[in-house]
Amino acid sequence: MTQRIVIDPITRIEGHLRLEVELDEARTITKAYSSGTMVRGIEIILQGRDPREAWAFAQRACGVCTTVHAIASIRAVEDALGIRIPKAANIIRNMIIAQQYVHDHVMHFYHLHALDFVDVVSALAADPKKTSDIQQSLSSWPMSSPAYFADVRKKVQAIVDSGQLSLFSNAYWGHPAYKLPPEVNLLAVAHYLEALDWQSHVTKIHTIFGGKNPHPNFVVGGVPLPIDMNGDQSLNAAKLSVIADSIAKINQFVDQVYIPDLLAIAPYYLDYAALGEGLGNFLTWGEFPGEDIADLSKYVVPRVLILNRDLKNVVVPDPRDFERMKEFIAHSWYTYQKGDQAGLAPWEGETVFNFTGPKPPFQQLDVAGKYSWLKAPRWNETPVEVGPLARVLAMYAVGHKPTVGLVNVVLDKLKAPASALFSTLGRTAARGIETKVFSDLLTGFFDELMEEIKGGRTETFNGEKWDPSTWPRRAQGFGFMEAPRGALGHWVVIEGGKIKNYQMVVPTTWNASPRDHKDQPGAYEASLVGTHLAVPDQPLEILRTIHSFDPCMACAIHMIDAEGRSAGEVGTGFNVVCPD
């Protein structure tokens, strides 16, 4: 007899995700359904606005990856208007992007994902001396004494004794699927707490380059920060020194804490090297362009499509291909003029709400009909996975030496076959691998910037096409960023100096999509099939695989007033500078 269980909401993610799964008699998942339960409206808000200010609205799609939508937006407008940015500005953007990756991935590992594998309560039984020995065997991280770990254990004991687990609440402590010894649990809990403080150092890069964090400032045509060693408000020697110090702290934590922890925990969960694969199809838009963003050959992360795990025959997808890049709504609460079975390319995209779901409270969704606020993006009508695993596979496929070396080291360390990459554990390992690759890149980008400054090449803004009178009557552009969670695309149509249409296809829309017009599942739905649940009403195994994607429903869908009432108007400086 089959059984359906519902998890709503999934915790330790961004936004609101509901999962419904069907179990067979052996408590193994046979079908899964992913539902975004809040509605999106950013695209509608952007219609009719000045395209130069779109980034300021678009980046509010997410409060975690606060730069990704802004960068995709300014790149879309620059693509539409044929704007090329100065080399120094491109280097600064690459530094901002690299910092975002490292910050996001470390935070995800410790604060969103690790507790699926680390039992906090078990850490109370740890011997601090043994934990100290483990730490000192892993790296030269200075916080490694028995007294230090004894103090951490004391703090955790105080939290447990209070009966208010606070940041450690809403977990399945004591679940039989936890496997780490108490000493490794204590080690991970200590680093969970250290990572909270580490974040304050990481954000300095965004704060300096963008003026604030979260939501730094950006500008179409470059970056808003001039370079002037004699200026107080510019990028000067003092600020470069702070950035250098921040990069050093980033690299130290990645090298001495994050990567060693990942390799210390993974051997206890090798069964997840054969679970959670999903689709076997992967897509990247690429990242870290050279001076000419149109030259795809200079990207560090290549733009590729991988089908059926075939790393020897990757192809370059064209995001401007109307026939292949489409979003479908057969199971989504939207309507298209051409009907529910049609797919629309983003430049033709429509955002028209059509909620047909049950009125709360309800027990289950009608998954035969529409059941999610997410659309179903497809490449050539094929579902794909995006994210760290897609990027690492892409870099591995094209022979990126640092990535190939790290992948081989990890597989050798775990004594795992290459097929282990296509799994929950592979997805988690890929996030760590690219964190190491990108933190090293951050150092390289900083050195490049210093060379530009020494050479007097300090221009950071191209204002040749700032004036709307220089724009064509109609233009359309594609902007992208390989966001930490995966391939992010913004498509903009500009007409008469205003935004005519704007569509965002975000990483979680790819991964968390519902079934499409062919009844093909999305990446989340496919990844859970075959997973056995030890205790169905404590579905820890589901969390492990879903968290390995790092869902961001806040990006994929957005809330508006349920009654459609105006909540006020928002203006920016352009409303004053360039009135109608």
Side-chain angles (χ1 to χ4, degrees), residues 166-380:
S166 182
L167 71 174
F168 296 133
S169 60
N170 297 322
Y172 303 127
W173 309 130
H175 192 287
Y178 281 117
K179 298 179 181 180
L180 294 180
E183 285 73 22
V184 179
N185 281 319
L186 179 59
L187 180 81
V189 171
H191 294 162
Y192 177 110
L193 298 173
E194 291 170 24
L196 290 171
D197 178 65
W198 173 82
Q199 292 187 57
S200 65
H201 302 289
V202 176
T203 56
K204 292 178 181 177
I205 295 175
H206 280 187
T207 305
I208 289 175
F209 285 140
K212 63 188 181 68
N213 189 77
H215 297 312
N217 293 302
F218 290 89
V219 66
V220 171
V223 294
L225 183 66
I227 300 174
D228 181 357
M229 293 302 106
N230 298 315
D232 292 332
Q233 304 302 318
S234 59
L235 183 61
N236 54 31
K239 291 175 181 173
L240 286 169
S241 177
V242 173
I243 291 171
D245 179 68
S246 180
I247 293 173
K249 286 184 169 63
I250 286 173
N251 289 337
Q252 184 187 24
F253 197 86
V254 171
D255 292 345
Q256 297 183 14
V257 181
Y258 177 26
I259 301 302
D261 280 357
L262 187 62
L263 294 175
I265 294 172
Y268 293 92
Y269 294 101
L270 290 179
D271 48 332
Y272 280 84
L275 283 174
E277 174 188 3
L279 302 169
N281 306 320
F282 304 89
L283 179 139
T284 64
W285 291 136
E287 195 49 81
F288 300 120
E291 187 173 1
D292 181 4
I293 196 170
D295 185 356
L296 298 181
S297 69
K298 296 297 192 295
Y299 286 25
V300 176
V301 179
R303 179 173 296 175
V304 303
L305 173 71
I306 300 169
L307 296 176
N308 302 316
R309 292 185 174 190
D310 186 355
L311 302 185
K312 295 182 179 178
N313 294 291
V314 300
V315 298
V316 180
D318 181 2
R320 297 169 176 77
D321 189 331
F322 269 52
E323 294 302 314
R324 290 181 172 82
M325 179 61 231
K326 291 183 178 180
E327 287 191 291
F328 294 86
I329 58 163
H331 290 279
S332 308
W333 286 313
Y334 296 90
T335 184
Y336 283 167
Q337 292 184 34
K338 294 181 179 178
D340 285 353
Q341 296 303 307
L344 292 181
W347 278 326
E348 301 175 323
E350 299 171 6
T351 305
V352 181
F353 308 135
N354 179 32
F355 182 70
T356 58
K359 184 177 180 180
F362 58 89
Q363 296 299 314
Q364 296 178 358
L365 291 165
D366 176 13
V367 294
K370 294 174 180 285
Y371 62 90
S372 177
W373 279 113
L374 274 68
K375 296 180 180 178
R378 296 291 185 263
W379 181 262
N380 201 19

Side-chain angles (χ1 to χ4, degrees), residues 2 20 58 71 159 175 288 292 395 442 480 483 506 512:
T2 60
E20 298 192 8
I71 287 179
I159 294 173
H175 192 287
F288 300 120
D292 181 4
M395 290 189 285
L442 185 55
F480 65 94
V506 313

